[in-house]
Amino acid sequence: MSFFGLDCTRNREREVERKIRANDREYNSSFRYATNSIKTSKYNPFTFLPLNLFEQFQRIANAYFLFLLTLQVIPAISSLPWFTTVFPLVLVLTVTAAKDAIDDINRHRSDRQVNNRKVNVLINGKLISEKWMNVQVGDIIKLENNQFVTADLLLLSSSEPLHLIYIETAELDGETNLKVKQALTVTGDMGDNLEALAAFNGEVCCEPPNNRLDRFTGTLTFDTQKYSLDNERVLLRGCTLRNTDWCFGLVLFAGPETKLMQNCGKSTFKRTSIDRLMNVLVLFIFGLLALMCIILAVGNGIWEHQTGSKFNAFLPRKENIAFSAFLTFWSYIIILNTVVPISLYVSMEVIRLGNSYYINWDRNMYDARTDTPAEARTTTLNEELGQIKYIFSDKTGTLTQNIMTFNKCSINGKSYGDVIDHYSGQRVEITEELARVDFSFNRLADPKFLFYDHSLVEAVKLELPDVHAFFRLLALCHTVMAEEKKEGELVYQAQSPDEGALVTAARNFGFVFRSRSPETVTIEEMGIQRSYELLAILDFDNVRKRMSVIVRNPEGKLSLYCKGADTIIYERLHPSCNKLMKVTTEHLNEFAGEGLRTLVLAYKDLDEEYFSEWKQRHHESSVAMDEREEKLDKLYEEIEKDMMLIGATAIEDKLQDGVAQTIEQLAKAEIKIWVLTGDKQETAENIGYSCSLLREEMNDVFIVTSNSPEEVRQELRDARLKMCPDTEQDQFLIPEIILGNTPKVVQDENVNGDYGLVINGHSLAFALESNMELELLRTACMCKTVICCRVTPLQKAQVVELVKKYKKAVTLAIGDGANDVSMIKAAHIGVGISGQEGMQAVLSSDFSFAQFRFLQRLLLVHGRWSYLRMCKFLRYFFYKNFTFTFVHFWYAFFCGFSAQTVYDEGFITLYNLVYTALPVLGMSLFDQDVNDRWSLEIPQLYVPGQLSQYFSKRAFMMCALHSCYSSLVLFFVPYAATYDTARDDGRDGADYQSFALITQTCLTVTVCVQLGLDLSYWTVVNHLYVWGSLGMFFLLTFTMYTDGLFRLRPSSFAFVGTARNCLNQPNVWLTVALTALLCVLPVVAYRFFSSQIYPTINDKVRYKVCKMKEPAPRPRHTRLIRRSTRRSGYAFSHAQGYGDLVTSRRFLRRPALVSTGFTPTGRSPGFKPTGRSAGYSPVGREQNPKQKVEPTSLQMFRAVKDSSY
Amino acid sequence: MKNEGETTERPDNTAFTQQRLPAWQPILSAGIIIPGFLLIGLAFIGIGVGLFLTSQTIQVLEWDYTGIAKDSPCFSCTIPNTPNCTCEITFALSELFKGPIFFYYGLSNYYQNFRRYGVSKDYNQLTGDTQYFKSPQNFCFPFDFDSKKNPIVPCGAIANSMFNDTFELYQIINGTKKQVPLDGKGISWWTDYNLKYRNPVPVDGSFPKAFDGTVKPINWPKPAYELDLTDQNNNGFLNQDFLVWMRRSALPDFRKLYRRITEGDYSGGLPAGNYSLTVHYNYPVMSFDGKKKVVFSNVSWMGGKNDFLGIAYLVVGSLCVVMSVVMLIVYAKFKFSDDDV
């Protein structure tokens, strides 16, 4: 249940200070604090109509039509009867009101659900189950594990030692890790003693309700003692109690006054670029309308002066010319109102809704593994999906699965991991069908671990000393914790997924890490348990890029085991390893080329004497007051040298399925992908290579990692100058005028060659400063790929904002975690990967699906179609309305500018609602230029969308001109065809009613033919709509002109008999045919010529499709093969500081650990080197099962440490 | 937790939800467009020729009888306050004017399509609903009540301004005038006469009594129930001339059917010879620079004479043919190959 995105209720009068007495409802109620019932709904059955109407009329278009309606009531002005406006308006209002009502009913329902949740409240010394809404300020309530916190509470006592509780604040701030709160000792001592709690009469005096989540000030007065209260004592509504059996709390703020409700501002409303363009166009249309009306009013003035004033004999006039012109102006405002598209907005919403459903329905975006279909969470942004230019992607969980697998290794110059075909000697691609290595010999093996190269296990069984040394190192040199709930059921808790993968590999190959104490590491080597004395951990950090352990084996031999980056270790190897180094380097290159993350392993036997002396110095240094770090570093350097190389490991950071193909496809569609990750530079780079964002063939990859603004600026400049030596300093900004304000737009600069940019968080912080942001943007935009690593969630959003600010481009952010929420909200389109870590990203996203690869379908198929459909819709909609309206304009010159309509009133009412509504809707819901396979096959089809080619101001002007032409034809052809002529029986055929009918028939037929021309995908539904609408026109025309209706309301159905008398005339039909063809043929010719002379990609593909007459080939699955690289594949998402912890006595002595156990979960709050949890699993899918969130041992440790002072 | 392999959320696999509905996908390929234009062009030229030739066979005679020019026969009638003025137009036919002949009067610069003029009528009155006789609708203003607050029936500007020139046609045979019978029946739309307009039900068997308490339109010489005393079926609101007038024109220049020449010796048309048309000049148009004319015309299957359609079809047809040739040239020159994709 999300509390977000709901509207808050209004503030009451200012409260200065809040006074609460526990267990004293009478006293508390005197202050009239809000109760705990919340109301996010806007209406009730009685207020719905007035309030909703009031809101709806705040929209310009609706207000405009209301204004028109009032004009129409004035007889002197009313050129059209009221119903011509009322019907469309009522329809629009009804549809919107229905939607609002459904939304509000849902809000009512969720309010009710929340308000009716049960919680135990302490009343008169007894715990009584109460509804949430009945909880009042000052009540003491009991919460149980996994319950939502009912209101903002003061924590009184808990089941846990030290009065601690654990809460999850994901609903509140998006962080999924657990947080700790602690009660005051004085209240905590009450425990669950109900008598004591019932007797508790502490008085709280605190700040009034506010929206600051991280701050709370107040005092508790109890037994004449005053205790100060801060945020640590307060549980906020929206949190969930975890890992705590129960706790008691005193309600401080309830319902709308809780910090959560105070915080939930209106979620930002995203609009598409077409929406923004529409706003400009609507203003333009208003301008056009005013202009036309002014022209006609002036025309009326002139006409009245010259002609009208003399026409007095048959039509006396009272008013003077100026007043007549004034009235005419308003009359024409009414008549020409159809240029302002009222039904347009409703139709657009319907189209977007329909296209959203297609996304929800698409089986190709359904993930069977997690049973999640794609979801369009926002139904108003579809066409924007067809215009994406920049994608900002998170890495972990989005591009990668955050699963590390031990994939390959090199031991003593032999590479393992590849499966070689015996006959051909070729490498075999690893698939699920391949025979796995059988680890049944090892009862402790992890069944989920998969390995395909049988030679490695053979080597282990042959007891090759190097192979054994290799796995022994992996089993010893790490900071993993093991837990054995049951005998043989080992669970590793690793701080980094890489380490977990390595230790698990060692486990499966017979070197099982079983347990550790601060001084020992116990492993089982090929079934024999051996305990190694752990003498020192030389911890990992980002400079050292290695970690070592010094252990004494059971036989008493001292060894140092080290693993680390190839570049670092190679410098510290014994010269005798040179030959092996060469071979291993080749293997490393091979691994790196495949995008694997590599580590080099080495060992060294130590001399007992030397070590004890070193140990002594180490002890001295570690207690030194000054320069401790430097001294330790020196010591580490000293001992970690002359090591012997064992081999190298290669870990695969598993990409999500199809990531590389997707990125390749999107690149072809000229979409730029920027990766924004909290991960380390090496890891990010590595992924860049493995998903072919960065490529060996790139001319250069610039890496910006400076620590001062000047250096960053210089590096960015150098990079730009290298890419494009003659980039000018000025002239890259083009002013763009949108409604008065003039934001600058950075032009795209063309660069020869492919470049990549990697920038880290530090440098990014400088580069995002306002004086350097343009520098960054220009450089970044010249690169094919941009990778920002170690960025904070805020920086992610800032990068997105930067691009949004200076590039006239549509951005999309995709991510899965809470740290991506900011960028998902900032981007034009936010996409959440569902079924992964938490739901935060999904909840704030506009679209969600389970796999990154679905992005290509979302954009290249759904986005493109949506954009195409919306643009076609808009172009056609404007065309049909303008054409309809402009005819009135021409007629004005022949009817004395008297605001006489050309058409029958019924036709005016029904034209937009009935005759032309469905065909265009059908087009906008079904049209496809080419089918989905071709859309994916030829991603270049996406490019016109990015350039907004299908609908722009220019396209709009073309529509207007086209309408102008059509309306001229539609007026003057019937004019000339009926001029001074008669029917075939000699009777009158050129009367007003016949003329109106002829013109409206011509119009309807013409716009239908035009639609048929625009429609490229005629499904049954389209046929039904097009022919049905035409049929409907004739049917309704004949119906409305029957005498039955005329008898009912003579003045409204005065056209009685016109259809019968008019449509039986051959020359009427000849006129209709002539107008329709005259309107459409030039368009056909124009389209033909342009498709021949300047064919667009679309024309070409459609031509090809038409010629081939067969479906597009299924998308090929090319395996990207990269070879021979000179790049280090080192990447290790490990954090500094863990080593100390592992050897810390306090930590391991925590008894609570045994009961809670180590399930690898959650995020460690203290150490966030990767910004990502350590929830590794060797192959398994499930990470961080949300239901059973438990704090890691590390969190426990932190909690104790923090609370100890 | 969901079971492995359970797919409850899997979307339905229908052609509609997967957007795979079978569809016809026409494209504007040269193979369709060029022959298409050619065919349309040829068809249009064919129709155009037919229309144009048909239009040429239609005979039309028309005279402006406004009398602006001093030497025109009706000049004398343009002087204001000339009651019962008549004038005479003589003409000679050198050949047979084929029948049936339709006799129109035409008005120019006459804004029957002016909005306020157009709405100035009360359909409820005209359907014979006597309730509305006493309280005409506001639209009729200022022709709803006379100066003594008596309701006008039929009210409104259209009725009030009804055309009231009358004509008599004579063939001059050896100096003697032989009246050509003019048929005034069936000149209005069947629907107007039978459906749209209704006379009030006679009161006590007397038709005029139905109009009790109302006055005639100001410009009318006699009330509605006296429009044709000879033929009760042509009286009141069902008077053919009234119906023709009430069907207001679309444009400021228009013709309206006055009579048909279908009877007696003239059922085959007007034979060659001399004719004289007597005009009872009543209707003032000079004040607003209007013009009046009389028109004799016969009709074809395509109605009255109108060269526009024929010419338009010919022009459009020719353009299509030309265009198809141009397209062919362009196609041959620019044809893109699908290798470009």
Side-chain angles (χ1 to χ4, degrees), chain B residues 100-321:
Chain B
I101 297 170
F102 297 88
F103 178 4
Y104 301 91
Y105 61 88
L107 291 170
S108 297
N109 207 25
Y110 192 108
Y111 285 83
Q112 260 206 320
N113 61 3
F114 197 82
R115 178 171 59 89
R116 285 202 294 113
Y117 179 88
V119 297
S120 188
K121 65 189 166 226
D122 187 341
Y123 276 113
N124 292 313
Q125 283 187 354
L126 298 171
T127 50
D129 191 338
T130 44
Q131 275 182 342
Y132 293 87
F133 279 24
K134 299 281 152 56
S135 52
Q137 285 184 354
N138 296 338
F139 299 130
C140 288
F141 182 84
F143 302 106
D144 45 356
F145 295 98
D146 71 357
S147 50
K148 292 175 199 139
K149 295 284 170 213
N150 292 315
I152 297 171
V153 174
C155 74
I158 310 181
N160 187 57
S161 59
M162 187 174 149
F163 185 74
N164 57 0
D165 283 1
T166 53
F167 308 92
E168 284 147 25
L169 181 63
Y170 300 96
Q171 186 181 15
I172 299 168
I173 304 170
N174 304 327
T176 58
K177 282 185 174 177
K178 181 186 177 193
Q179 185 159 14
V180 179
L182 298 176
D183 175 13
K185 299 225 170 56
I187 54 170
S188 72
W189 284 13
W190 183 88
T191 48
D192 285 350
Y193 184 78
N194 291 292
L195 303 173
K196 196 170 176 182
Y197 293 84
R198 279 277 165 276
N199 272 327
V201 180
V203 176
D204 304 334
S206 159
F207 181 54
K209 268 199 176 171
F211 290 85
D212 273 357
T214 67
V215 293
K216 65 174 177 64
I218 294 158
N219 286 9
W220 286 20
K222 48 197 172 183
Y225 49 85
E226 285 174 12
L227 281 176
D228 188 352
L229 290 170
T230 60
D231 182 359
Q232 195 50 42
N233 290 329
N234 193 27
N235 203 4
F237 302 151
L238 294 181
N239 179 273
Q240 296 277 350
D241 291 322
F242 177 67
L243 292 179
V244 167
W245 181 253
M246 290 303 282
R247 182 149 290 278
R248 67 194 180 103
S249 72
L251 297 165
D253 297 348
F254 59 90
R255 289 173 185 178
K256 285 188 181 294
L257 187 55
Y258 179 67
R259 292 292 182 262
R260 296 186 295 181
I261 302 170
T262 53
E263 291 167 9
D265 300 338
Y266 303 96
S267 57
L270 294 176
N274 293 322
Y275 292 87
S276 138
L277 181 72
T278 308
V279 179
H280 296 273
Y281 197 110
N282 301 315
Y283 204 70
V285 293
M286 297 287 280
S287 64
F288 54 91
D289 302 333
K291 295 217 178 80
K292 302 197 281 191
K293 61 186 175 184
V294 283
V295 182
F296 292 103
S297 170
N298 48 25
V299 298
S300 69
W301 60 271
M302 56 162 282
K305 187 179 178 74
N306 183 317
D307 290 343
F308 168 79
L309 265 187
I311 293 170
Y313 264 86
L314 280 173
V315 169
V316 173
S318 317
L319 279 177
C320 284
V321 173

Side-chain angles (χ1 to χ4, degrees), chain A residues 929-965:
Chain A
D929 49 351
V930 291
N931 65 16
D932 52 344
R933 286 203 199 158
W934 280 104
S935 303
L936 290 170
E937 174 76 12
I938 301 167
Q940 291 86 337
L941 284 170
Y942 192 78
V943 178
Q946 294 168 338
L947 305 173
S948 299
Q949 277 179 349
Y950 294 150
F951 191 75
S952 57
K953 283 180 197 151
R954 189 173 166 272
F956 174 79
M957 289 313 294
M958 291 296 282
C959 277
L961 286 177
H962 181 197
S963 293
C964 199
Y965 164 75

